[in-house]
Amino acid sequence: MANHFSALKRVRQTERRTDYNRRNATQLRHQVRAMRRLITAKDAAGALKLLPGTFSIIDRSAKLGVIKKNTAARYKSKLHLRIKALG
């Protein structure tokens, strides 16, 4: 276990950041999963309604470093293409 004050502080900071990052990654996964379920169910109206919120979460995740910028672009592209194919 850490003995110095700075090391103890670093442990506390790391725990806070880990919780924050885990929460953001989970939110992203759940949102993308919900979109994929709607697409699989061929619910174009529901998917279009959920699309702006999903894109917002994907962009925010890329900005925060949960995923890389190119991964965010790939997610958005694939989801958009699949929704277009429904309609």
Side-chain angles (χ1 to χ4, degrees):
M1 183 62 199
N3 292 321
H4 296 285
F5 287 116
S6 60
L8 292 169
K9 179 179 178 181
R10 178 52 72 185
V11 168
R12 289 193 307 269
Q13 288 174 330
T14 302
E15 287 173 354
R16 273 198 310 269
R17 292 305 305 173
T18 300
D19 289 340
Y20 183 73
N21 289 333
R22 186 175 292 138
R23 193 166 42 246
N24 286 324
T26 302
Q27 183 184 25
L28 171 68
R29 265 197 322 275
H30 286 304
Q31 189 75 14
V32 170
R33 194 176 295 148
M35 279 292 296
R36 288 179 177 155
R37 280 193 187 121
L38 288 173
I39 292 169
T40 303
K42 304 209 184 308
D43 183 6
L48 278 174
K49 187 177 173 186
L50 200 60
L51 190 67
T54 303
F55 278 11
S56 174
I57 288 175
I58 290 172
D59 288 335
R60 194 175 325 131
S61 296
K63 186 178 87 173
L64 294 172
V66 175
I67 56 174
K68 293 185 177 181
K69 191 172 71 168
N70 200 42
T71 304
R74 192 174 62 244
Y75 280 174
K76 288 166 52 175
S77 174
K78 290 290 185 182
L79 288 173
H80 190 255
L81 282 173
R82 289 179 67 189
I83 289 174
K84 272 179 65 175
L86 287 178

